Structure formats: structure tokens, C-alpha cells
Amino acid sequence: MTQAMRIDGGMVDRSRTLSFSWNGRWMTGYHGDTLASALLANGERLVGRSFKYHRPRGIFASGSEEPNALVQLREGAAQEPNTRATTIELFEGLNAASQNHRGPLAFDLMAANDLLSPFLSAGFYYKTFMWPKAFWERLYEPLIRASAGLGRLPMQPDPDVYDHGFLHCDLLVIGAGPTGLSAALAAARSGLRVILADEDFVPGGRLNAETHEVDEQSGADWAAAVTAELAASDNARLMTRTTVYGAFDHGIYGALERRTDHLADAGGKPRQVLWRIYTRRALLSAGATERSMAFGNNDRPGVMLAGAVRTYVNRFGVAPGRKVAVFTNNDDGLRTAEDLGEKGIEVAAVIDARKGDFVMDTIGRSGIRAVRLGDGRRVEADCLAVSGGWSPNVHLTCHHRGRPVWDADVVGFVPGGELPSGMSVAGAANGTMTLAAAIREGHGAAVGIAGDLGAERSPGTPAKAADESFAAAPFWQVAGLRKRAWVDLQNDVTTKDVRQSHQEGFRSVEHLKRYTTLGMATDQGRTANVLGLALMADAAGKSIEETGTTIFRPPYTPVAIGAFAGRARGKHFRPHRLTPSHKWAEENGADFVEAGMWLRAQWFKRPGEKGWRDSVDREASRVRKSVGICDVTTLGKIDIQGRDAAEFLNRVYANAFLKLPVGKVRYGLMLREDGICYDDGTTARLSESHFVMTTTTANAVLVFRNLEFARQCLWPDLDVHLISTTDGWAQFAVAGPKSRALLSKVVDDLDLSNDAFPFMACAECSVFGGTPARLFRISFSGELAYEIAVPARYGDSMMRALMKAGEEFDAVPYGTEALGVLRIEKGHVAGNEITGQTTARMLGLRGMVSRSKDAIGLKLSERDAMNEDDGMRLAGFRPVDRSVILTAGAHFLNPGDSADMAHDQGWMTSVAYSPELGMSVGLGFLKRGTDRIGETIRAYSPVRDQDVIVEVCSPHHVDPDGVRQRG
Amino acid sequence: MIINHPLLGPRDAAEFVVLGDACLIDRPDGMNAASEEMHDYAYVRDNPAGEHRELWYHEQGDRSWLVVTRSTLTHDVIKVELARDVARARGRSR
């Protein structure tokens, strides 16, 4: 297909023809086109359907403010909905399709919504579909959901790569139009480190779209020359295709660079890079956005912003129509007629609102054929260029506390209130609407900043240009409007909706926005907001100044979630920590489970085992009968040293530590200041002034943080120092009746007899002829057991050596599941019981809380409500029918009581199948549980559909007297 | 956000963990305090619009606890001190 609407001139490269597919049809464009300009060159006026009424829509703008031309880009998993055709650079093989229609674009079945428009006005979803009530879930909601939204998600993982980056500079210039180029040039010449960012792929902004001259050359040539000088400068960095989307605290800006979106094949390079830019100062030179006016059927394809018409004609060499009518309220719109005339395009009429003329209505269905004027005349035209004035792009000035203020001369909101610190604004974004003034202002701002920052080189002089005339008069909606007139094209908000919002009392701008959804679409109402406010002011009989404006939040334009995620996705979502025996475990059939960031062996599958239970039962049994080895490196380890180390421990643990003898380990319980238990572990005293604390795996970071808080903020003069050694030592539990025999083969010159090294003893020693080690006689399983630690670099060898030494005892490695079985059998509490909502008394550890010293949490743990006699107590549970498998989370009920919260007696926290006892056993909290041993109650779990009778018993299912661990 | 660490210079807030009101330094002695006093210490915080003294912990750094005086309205950081120095100045010792 030929490019019927292509005309001479422009900045496209006619030697490079590109083929692209639109709705399955192949067309051509040129290098330098956007999808929008290429579609217009091919005479495609209808490009999409509107959000609510499914009205035919065409290309309305030429930049990121585009409300209509949202398309589905690319195919398969890489496809992206709601991309703006006006910002997509054309590349060979580009594939795009229109959105939001059923059936072909030209005959959308959903267009029936337009006939229903009287029922779909502002707030319709609050008022209609209310009855009959039963219809909501089955009929209305599915219908509304099916018709909501615009584009389609691919529903597949995003195959593209995204990255993050960090940049530092003295001055960030946001926008490379005449103002930004002038400022960046002066700043770079002064010697500042400058970053100039622009969302377009060619710097120059409006200079590329207009016919202005700068320094006696065309604006576009001047922009290219400045760009070349900046590119050659050592201290300037020019970033095209980069949108600064947000201003954050302390001179930090977020920017999205579209790195390979314009290429047919990214070649494995990141598609987009999310930059965090740290800058001492920022200059916002983001220009201004043109807006429309409200007249009948002002949304038809062919109605286009006048500035966009000039962009297509001057920059892209494309005629948006063959006969163009111009409707304007300012001098800027008049230039459109001149530029069209220069290119030989027929100007059907120039309708100047300031002279009392206006467009009443447009005629045509899928594109305008003619316009009807206020005096009844009909003008044949296939394009209507509209200029309702320009709104400064103040968005980034609002990202902290800025509140734009109305400027009657500009007829727009200009920056006001508190700008982000370090930010200045220049050019059209600041309400300086004419060329020469903007260039001078950009230059002046840069010179001022260079002076502030102590730059010493000469900034040069500003480029010379003429000021074009800019005379705007407010004009919002035509008088005597009878047809629907759109305010927000993307969200289908009409003048009627704004009036209705006022009538129904939603009169503040914030209410207007939320009730009508004005400005809440993906374009954040860039071309719509000011018109909407003006109409609300009109309805309320107030000035725009009194009405005020809503403000803007980041992002300036949409940012893909993938860009925020960067490389932190899939297995790189967060780092994995591997235990020292990880490689060995991989070689030996381990299944791994995530425990925080750690990957821990869950069980070790052996040939012939059909499911995980087989492996876990075997591992737990072997520990009780012989010996097992488990990597427990993940437990937090904190080295505590100093003359006051014992005193410090005495204050952070609820139980006493002052008199712990050297060579002994003690179990410790930590409370939060509110008296609730939050962690437990063991602490060993290696010398008078040296302790080693262990914490649970989950709380390792938190406990260390809290200890540092206590040390630095509460008792700053205690002589105590802390260091985390979790990763420094590989630690293994060696548990079972044969553990002593095994370790005797491993440990050098240490008497392991029960007298010499009893339960809760510890020592620094060596293994295998000189490797330094620490040995602790502690037991989580209830068996005779030890934990042995070696420097982490020996961890892998240690695991292999322990297994070899254990061969004669048929030693097994065991994972976290068997660890859990053993501790539940023994009745040791863990994370399921220490949930951050349980007290020492509930856990049966009340006796440990010392009342003869102050410790964190002591005072508030004494509160009456936390010590009621009929409170929850830890108990054990067994099914009366021994073949039943218990479920954690079941609630306890007295027999005969109804199953409701009023009769709740507690809940099951942990369950396991006990190979030792041949049945399922549980731990849980039961009202007065310790007094109810021997009772039978119901364990009721409606979510698991289980209702069983259980017997209350001691939580210590195995060896309640602790004979084995002391043996 | 950038916090000007008194020992290490300007550091990104991502390196820190925030705890909240610096009044947590003023912990009453658990053996002598009235219940109400300990209750207020554990639960009651000011929530000012304006200057606020907060505890920040340089967890991904040198593990210093800092007292950061910050405006909750503008996010300006007004002053940064080592919490240990603040604690000593408020009479805390051993």
C-alpha cells in the first residue's frame, strides 16, 4: 500500500523504508516515523475504540499525552497493551493492533454502549445494576468485568530483560526542547556534570515540529548542532528515549530509558533501564501540552490538536487531512494554517473563538467529513485542528508539595508552592511560552546554577531567536451545546458528566476527579484536566483560581512493572544463602526448602522410598535408634565479648545469665518490651568475657538489630561488643544414642564422658588433628546430642568426614522435616508456638522469667491479663483413633459444644507423625491445658473438613523426664 | 532519601532500617518504673507534622544506630547524630 498522505519535507529518512503490520495488514513507513505518523501517512484515521462508549477514535496528539491511539504492540508473550502509537518508533516488522472492540475495528459490536450512554454517565456504577440483588454476582458483575479495560495482557511471563542503573550529576535537565538544550549547553560549557534527558528519540522538542529559526538556522538544525556539541562534551550525558518520571527526596529522580524498544531485535540487551539519578540541582524544562475545547462530537477521528497537526506536517512529512479546518483560541493555532499553506494543504477555514466564531458540531461517523459552525454554516473538512491553549507541564513540580497556581496571561496553571528542593523550572513549563524568552530563561537558569555550584568556565551566550506572538484568551465550551462534547477522551468523560458531578454535590476538584474519573486514565488527563476544571468552575460560578487543581503523582508516564522489578525476578528475586553442606546435600538426594533466604535440606530421599513421609520417618527413627547429622548453620550466631557481656545478656534475656559458668550453655528466652516472647536459643560461655549466642533462623537479623539497639541506645557505656558470625561457622547437630561414639572419633583430646562433658557443656576444641572447632552438648531432639561448629570453609569437608566416621553406626543425614518431627515428639516449642502473640506462661516457660532483675519485657510481662489462670497453656494431643492424622490449625472444642468462637478452647499449632509412637501427635494451646491432661476433646478443622476426638497429654510425647539427653 | 551519616557521610536510605520515635532511648528501669510509665514507653508515640527525631539503623553498613531529626512534612533531614552520643547526653550510661 502506498503512503497516500505522505508529503515533502520532514525529518524522516526516505531512503530507509520500513514495513509494519497494522491489524494484520502490511504497510510501509520510513525510518524516523512513529507508528502514529506512519498510520497517518497510510491514511488510517480510525485507530481505536473509546473506553466506555466504544466510540471510533483517531490519533489526537503527537507525543506522550496521546489519549486515543492506544494500541496492542508486538505479539506473543512480548506483547504490550495500551502503548501510545505516538511514542512508538517505527521499526522493520513492527506488529500492532487496535484495542477495545469486538469484531472488526470499523464495526465494533460494543458500540451499542454509545446508544446506552444516558445510562452510563458519571457514577453510573454506583446507581444502576443495584437490583434485583441476586443479579449482581451472576449477571452484572461478569458483564461489567468482560467489558472493562482496554488492551489485553498476554498472560505469559514477560520474556524481556530489564535493568536498573544509578547516575550522579550536578545538574539534571529534564526535557531537551529549546529551553533544555539552551540550559544544558550553558551548564556543560560552565563545566558542570550535566545529564539532559528527553522522552523523544530526537532532541529538540517543538523545534522539530515548528518552522522557527534559531541562530539563523532552522530550529531543528540548531537542536542537532547543540546535541552534537553535548555529545562531544566530557561532562555532559545526553539521554534520549528517557522519561524522568518522578522527583523523589533529596535530589533523587527516577528515569526510564527505553533502550531497545525501537529495535526489531533487542539482541538480548535490556529492553528498558530504570535509572536512579542523584543530582545536586534539577531544571525542569518539560514544555507544555496543548488542550482541546468542548464542542459537539469533538472526539471523532480527524479532530486533532493543532500543534500535533504541525508536528505531522513539519517533522514527519505527513498530511493529517486533505482539507483542514482550524479552530483556535490563540495565535499559536493560526500558525497551523500558515504551515499547512506552505505545504500546499488546503485550509478549509480558520475559526477563531476570540472573534466569536466557533465549531458547534462535527459530521461523519468513523472520521469527520465536515464541521458545523456556530452560525449554522457547514464547512467540508476531513481534519479539524483544534487549539484550546497550552498547559505548562508542571507535573514534576507537584511530586512533593508543589501546588500549581493559575496564570491568567498564560491561561494555564504554572508551578507554585514548594518545589522539590533543588528544582528550578524554565521555559514553557514555567509559563514562558515564546521561543526567544524560553531560550534565554533556560540559559539564565543554568548560569545561575553554575554560579551556585562554583563552576568557573564561561557558559557562553544564549542563542538568538525571535519571539512569536502568543495571545491566548480563555475559551472552554461553545454556547448552546446540544450534542455530547468530550472533556477526557481516554476515560470518556463529557461536559455533561462534569455538570452532573456539580449537581450531585461532587464539587471539589478532588471529588470531580473521582466521581467522573476525569484525569484518571493512563494519560492522567494530560489533555483534559484544565478543561474539566474550567467547566467545573463555570458550573459553580467560581474562578478557576478559586476552584484549584488536582495535582500529579509519579509516574509522569506509565512505567512497566518489569522495569521496577529489573533483574530481581524468578530465582533472582532475592539472593539465596546456601549452607556449607549444600553441595554434599545435592549429591545425596536432598529436597530443599526455603527458610528465609536460606535453602535447607528438607529430607534426603533414598532408593525405594515412595514419598517424603518414608524419608522423614526413616531419618527420625535412625536418630532415635542410632545417630543422625543435620546442618544447623542457619541458626543465627552472635559473638558477644566484653567485661560486661554477662551483665548485658542478663538484661536482654528474660532468664538469668550472670552466673552461667564458663564451659556451660544455657537456654534463653527473649521477650519484646511488651512482654510477649519473640525468640529463643542457647548461649554458651566460652570464657569470663566471651559468649556465643544462637537465635532462631528466622529472627537472626532482628535479634542482632535489637541487641545493637540495647547496646548503643539503652546502655551505651556497658563494655560489650557484638559481631554476627552466622556465616563464619558451619554447625552440625549430631544427635542420637551413638552420637558420643561418633564424635569420639572426630574430636581431638577431649574427654566426652558424661562426667567430663555433661548435658549443656561446651568447649573450644579441635577436630581431625587440629582443625579448630567448638562443641556444645545441646539437644533439640531429646536424644543424647551435640552441636559441633568448625570455621565455615571446613563445612563441606566436615559434613563428608562426619558421614564417613558415622558409617559404622549407619549414621543418616536428616533434614528440616525430621528435625521438626523430633522436636514435636519432644515437646520443644518453635516458630509455630513462638508466634509473637504468646507469653512465657502460655509456653510453659513462666518459671524461666526472672523477677529479681530488670530485663527487656519483664515489667509488661507481669500484666494481669497476660497471666490469667484460665489462659491458654501448651499441651500435647493424640488422636483417640490412633490411625487418624491430625491437622495443624484445628480448633479445640469441648464435646457437645457448638462449633463457634464462643466455645473455642484453643488451637493445634504443630503436628507430626511420630515413628517412635506409631501415631500422629500434636502440640497446641488449650485453655488451662496443663490441668486437663487425660481429658478428651474435639479437634475441629472446618477448612480441612476434619472433626476428631483427641486426648490431652503432656507436650513431651517422648522421654518426658529427659533421661536420654542427659545420658 | 539520603542520610548524612556522621561517620560515613551521605548514604542512601536503602542501607538503613527505620525504627521510629527516638523516645525509645528513654527506657524506664523495669524494676522501679510504674506500670503506666512502662506502658507509655512501649506504646505511646508522638506523630508530629514537622520536626521528628527518629531512630535509624545502618544495617547494610556500619551497624550504627542514628538519631535522625527529620521533617515529616518536607522530608528534609535537619540533623543526624550517633544514637550512642544522644543516649549519653540524656544521662544513659550503664
Side-chain angles (χ1 to χ4, degrees):
Chain A
M1 186 171 165
T2 56
Q3 299 179 38
M5 301 302 279
R6 188 69 74 173
I7 56 173
D8 288 342
M11 299 169 68
V12 292
D13 181 353
R14 285 159 206 263
S15 69
R16 294 168 72 182
T17 303
L18 302 171
S19 305
F20 69 100
S21 162
W22 169 248
N23 279 344
R25 285 183 297 137
W26 285 91
M27 303 177 180
T28 60
Y30 296 124
H31 187 265
D33 264 328
T34 61
L35 176 60
S37 68
L39 286 171
L40 286 170
N42 284 280
E44 292 293 319
R45 305 171 74 199
L46 172 62
V47 298
R49 289 281 174 169
S50 74
F51 177 59
K52 200 156 76 172
Y53 302 127
H54 290 256
R55 298 265 296 184
R57 289 287 167 81
I59 293 159
F60 183 70
S62 59
S64 64
E65 71 276 23
E66 174 63 40
N68 282 345
L70 302 184
V71 303
Q72 191 90 15
L73 185 66
R74 299 180 195 258
E75 287 178 300
Q79 68 184 293
E80 191 180 6
N82 302 341
T83 53
R84 288 147 293 170
T86 49
T87 62
I88 301 164
E89 277 177 80
L90 200 65
F91 55 83
E92 179 62 33
L94 179 149
N95 184 313
S98 53
Q99 304 185 149
N100 208 35
H101 49 89
R102 284 191 204 160
L105 174 59
F107 187 74
D108 176 9
L109 294 170
M110 293 295 283
N113 275 10
D114 203 24
L115 303 174
L116 299 174
S117 63
F119 304 103
L120 300 176
S121 61
F124 76 93
Y125 35 78
Y126 302 127
K127 301 173 192 161
T128 37
F129 308 119
M130 302 301 279
W131 56 269
K133 208 176 160 191
F135 275 33
W136 175 250
E137 234 174 88
R138 273 177 291 153
L139 183 67
Y140 299 147
E141 194 186 332
L143 266 179
I144 291 171
R145 284 201 184 281
S147 51
L150 285 165
R152 300 175 309 278
L153 289 168
M155 305 309 280
Q156 294 169 55
D158 187 340
D160 293 316
V161 179
Y162 301 82
D163 217 337
H164 288 174
F166 300 82
L167 293 170
H168 295 260
C169 60
D170 297 319
L171 173 62
L172 170 65
V173 180
I174 303 160
T179 311
L181 286 170
S182 168
L185 188 63
R189 285 173 173 174
S190 317
L192 294 183
R193 292 179 305 152
V194 187
I195 292 175
L196 172 60
D198 194 280
E199 60 181 356
D200 205 335
F201 52 97
V202 183
R206 291 300 302 171
L207 288 175
N208 297 321
E210 307 282 6
T211 51
H212 302 309
E213 286 199 346
V214 183
D215 269 355
E216 289 160 6
Q217 55 192 323
S218 81
D221 287 347
W222 178 78
V226 173
T227 302
E229 182 174 340
L230 290 171
S233 164
D234 288 338
N235 50 311
R237 178 174 181 140
L238 177 67
M239 300 177 76
T240 53
R241 303 184 177 98
T242 303
T243 305
V244 177
Y245 66 82
F248 302 96
D249 288 324
H250 307 158
I252 301 174
Y253 289 79
L256 181 76
E257 182 179 13
R258 289 166 295 277
R259 241 348 214 282
T260 58
D261 275 358
H262 61 293
L263 303 176
D265 178 8
K269 295 222 166 62
R271 181 185 164 214
Q272 298 179 343
V273 179
L274 194 78
W275 293 102
R276 188 186 287 199
I277 302 175
Y278 296 78
T279 187
R280 295 166 76 187
R281 302 286 287 271
L283 180 67
L284 181 69
S285 48
T289 302
E290 203 170 19
R291 56 183 184 253
S292 184
M293 292 178 279
F295 53 91
N297 291 305
N298 60 350
D299 67 326
R300 290 209 161 111
V303 178
M304 187 183 281
L305 291 171
V309 169
R310 296 200 298 281
T311 305
Y312 291 116
V313 168
N314 294 325
R315 174 173 169 181
F316 295 105
V318 171
R322 291 197 161 84
K323 285 180 74 167
V324 183
V326 180
F327 180 27
T328 183
N329 71 350
N330 62 78
D331 288 352
D332 212 46
L334 295 176
R335 253 204 337 283
T336 312
E338 287 170 27
D339 289 4
L340 287 167
E342 286 284 315
K343 297 281 181 179
I345 299 166
E346 186 181 339
V347 178
V350 176
I351 304 129
D352 193 331
R354 294 169 298 179
K355 294 181 185 157
D357 298 332
F358 57 87
V359 174
M360 177 59 90
D361 195 7
T362 67
I363 297 151
R365 180 65 196 171
S366 57
I368 65 166
R369 293 195 311 273
V371 296
R372 177 82 62 198
L373 304 191
D375 57 13
R377 271 189 301 148
R378 177 184 163 116
V379 176
E380 300 300 317
D382 59 356
C383 175
L384 177 63
V386 186
S387 182
W390 291 77
S391 306
N393 288 330
V394 298
H395 305 68
L396 266 67
T397 69
C398 304
H399 285 183
H400 292 178
R401 304 178 76 203
R403 290 288 181 277
V405 293
W406 183 251
D407 183 319
D409 293 332
V410 173
V411 195
F413 284 95
V414 296
E418 265 179 68
L419 267 49
S421 92
M423 181 191 279
S424 334
V425 192
N430 201 31
T432 304
M433 307 306 275
T434 57
L435 182 61
I439 288 175
R440 278 197 307 274
E441 193 170 85
H443 181 89
V447 169
I449 291 165
D452 293 349
L453 300 182
E456 283 166 358
R457 303 216 300 260
S458 162
T461 52
K464 288 182 201 65
D467 276 324
E468 71 277 28
S469 70
F470 175 82
F475 184 89
W476 309 109
Q477 63 179 329
V478 300
L481 190 63
R482 279 184 303 275
K483 299 288 176 58
R484 274 182 297 163
W486 269 257
V487 179
D488 183 333
L489 291 167
Q490 194 167 126
N491 259 354
D492 265 345
V493 179
T494 64
T495 54
K496 188 184 147 212
D497 295 321
V498 177
R499 275 200 309 278
Q500 188 180 332
S501 176
H502 176 261
Q503 280 162 9
E504 297 185 1
F506 297 95
R507 293 175 187 184
S508 98
V509 288
E510 300 291 350
H511 286 155
L512 168 68
K513 172 175 172 173
R514 283 153 186 83
Y515 193 60
T516 64
T517 71
L518 170 74
M520 289 172 71
T522 65
D523 64 348
Q524 286 195 45
R526 296 260 302 272
T527 58
N529 286 341
V530 171
L531 178 55
L533 299 177
L535 296 179
M536 177 54 87
D538 190 39
K542 288 201 258 180
S543 69
I544 295 178
E545 214 161 359
E546 290 167 317
T547 306
T549 177
T550 55
I551 57 155
F552 303 94
R553 283 183 284 262
Y556 175 64
T557 53
V559 179
I561 298 289
F564 286 114
R567 297 201 182 251
R569 54 188 284 192
K571 73 171 187 166
H572 300 296
F573 178 63
R574 59 179 184 184
H576 273 140
R577 302 172 79 183
L578 303 182
T579 62
S581 66
H582 187 84
K583 188 160 177 291
W584 182 90
E586 273 182 331
E587 294 163 12
N588 285 274
D591 265 62
F592 294 96
V593 60
E594 286 186 44
M597 282 193 225
W598 291 99
L599 281 185
R600 298 189 73 181
Q602 207 171 0
W603 56 77
F604 297 82
K605 195 172 174 174
R606 288 288 171 266
E609 289 175 346
K610 289 191 189 68
W612 66 273
R613 262 284 306 280
D614 290 352
S615 309
V616 173
D617 286 359
R618 172 183 49 78
E619 290 169 14
S621 299
R622 289 306 302 163
V623 169
R624 296 243 182 262
K625 290 195 178 66
S626 179
V627 60
I629 297 159
C630 182
D631 190 327
V632 294
T633 305
T634 62
L635 293 179
K637 303 182 208 73
I638 302 169
D639 205 79
I640 301 170
Q641 299 193 40
R643 283 190 301 276
D644 296 321
E647 176 61 33
F648 179 74
L649 287 167
N650 212 38
R651 297 182 191 183
V652 296
Y653 273 131
N655 49 324
F657 267 81
L658 210 48
K659 291 182 181 140
L660 176 67
V662 173
K664 285 286 185 189
V665 185
R666 186 167 289 172
Y667 175 74
L669 187 68
M670 274 187 200
L671 309 183
R672 300 191 307 229
E673 197 65 90
D674 64 2
I676 300 286
C677 294
Y678 90 95
D679 204 61
D680 65 347
T682 59
T683 289
R685 189 167 202 170
L686 298 180
S687 78
E688 272 305 310
S689 58
H690 187 189
F691 293 79
V692 176
M693 174 187 283
T694 68
T695 72
T696 60
T697 301
N699 281 332
V701 170
L702 180 63
V703 169
F704 190 65
R705 184 188 302 161
N706 290 348
L707 294 189
E708 282 291 2
F709 174 79
R711 190 179 79 90
Q712 296 176 38
C713 302
L714 300 183
W715 307 299
D717 292 326
L718 281 185
D719 180 32
V720 60
H721 295 272
L722 312 170
I723 191 161
S724 168
T725 58
T726 305
D727 297 82
W729 292 83
Q731 194 151 321
F732 302 93
V734 180
K738 300 287 188 204
S739 56
R740 180 181 290 131
L742 194 160
L743 282 171
S744 300
K745 297 170 64 180
V746 169
V747 176
D748 307 329
D749 313 322
L750 187 67
D751 182 356
L752 292 185
S753 69
N754 204 30
D755 290 340
F757 201 75
F759 184 55
M760 300 307 261
C762 69
E764 291 180 285
C765 59
S766 65
V767 293
F768 296 114
T771 302
R774 289 170 177 171
L775 186 65
F776 311 91
R777 191 172 156 191
I778 50 181
S779 178
F780 197 44
S781 57
E783 296 299 322
L784 168 68
Y786 302 81
E787 287 187 15
I788 182 135
V790 291
R793 64 184 178 281
Y794 299 116
D796 179 79
S797 317
M798 186 67 180
M799 185 69 193
R800 291 171 199 276
L802 284 171
M803 288 306 299
K804 190 153 180 55
E807 270 171 18
E808 65 178 277
F809 311 108
D810 199 13
V812 293
Y814 65 102
T816 53
E817 279 298 321
L819 190 80
V821 170
L822 295 165
R823 74 98 189 160
I824 292 166
E825 284 180 339
K826 178 62 186 171
H828 279 315
V829 292
N832 288 19
E833 286 77 33
I834 305 182
T835 59
Q837 295 171 303
T838 50
T839 61
R841 187 149 191 204
M842 286 172 74
L843 295 164
L845 302 172
R846 170 76 165 150
M848 286 181 67
V849 180
S850 163
R851 263 143 291 181
S852 59
K853 54 144 190 167
D854 184 23
I856 289 172
L858 169 71
K859 185 77 191 179
L860 294 182
S861 75
E862 309 255 86
R863 285 179 285 177
D864 294 343
M866 280 160 62
N867 292 287
E868 282 165 357
D869 289 333
D870 66 344
M872 297 290 174
R873 301 286 178 266
L874 186 75
F877 302 89
R878 298 174 181 189
V880 170
D881 173 356
R882 302 303 200 206
S883 67
V884 165
I885 298 294
L886 298 174
T887 56
H891 275 250
F892 300 125
L893 296 165
N894 287 327
D897 277 354
S898 53
D900 51 38
M901 284 312 290
H903 295 96
D904 187 35
Q905 294 290 302
W907 63 97
M908 192 93 80
T909 54
S910 298
V911 296
Y913 178 79
S914 165
E916 176 88 352
L917 300 172
M919 67 172 115
S920 181
V921 296
L923 300 176
F925 293 111
L926 177 67
K927 236 178 220 180
R928 295 183 294 101
T930 27
D931 305 332
R932 295 170 69 177
I933 289 173
E935 278 185 31
T936 52
I937 53 167
R938 280 167 73 193
Y940 175 65
S941 175
V943 282
R944 304 275 181 91
D945 198 21
Q946 195 184 44
D947 193 353
V948 296
I949 304 296
V950 296
E951 170 193 331
V952 183
C953 59
S954 154
H956 309 295
H957 294 283
V958 167
D959 189 23
D961 300 324
V963 175
R964 296 184 192 180
Q965 64 194 15
R966 293 192 169 77
Chain B
M1 234 182 104
I2 291 169
I3 293 172
N4 199 4
H5 191 300
L7 304 177
L8 301 174
R11 313 296 306 182
D12 195 282
E15 296 175 7
F16 293 83
V17 173
V18 66
L19 178 65
D21 197 329
C23 72
L24 281 168
I25 289 173
D26 301 321
R27 181 181 184 273
D29 181 83
M31 300 303 280
N32 301 314
S35 297
E36 290 72 18
E37 204 186 337
M38 198 54 107
H39 167 276
D40 289 356
Y41 170 73
Y43 294 110
V44 180
R45 304 280 183 275
D46 276 345
N47 185 19
E51 265 192 37
H52 193 216
R53 282 159 67 81
E54 294 171 343
L55 283 159
W56 289 71
Y57 178 51
H58 199 204
E59 189 152 80
Q60 308 296 328
D62 75 340
R63 297 182 273 124
S64 288
W65 276 94
L66 305 179
V67 174
V68 176
T69 307
R70 197 175 69 92
S71 167
T72 57
L73 291 177
T74 64
H75 295 186
D76 285 341
V77 172
I78 297 143
K79 193 155 99 178
V80 185
E81 303 154 274
L82 290 174
R84 166 169 272 162
D85 294 343
V86 174
R88 283 183 178 134
R90 298 184 70 79
R92 301 199 74 88
S93 176
R94 289 174 61 82

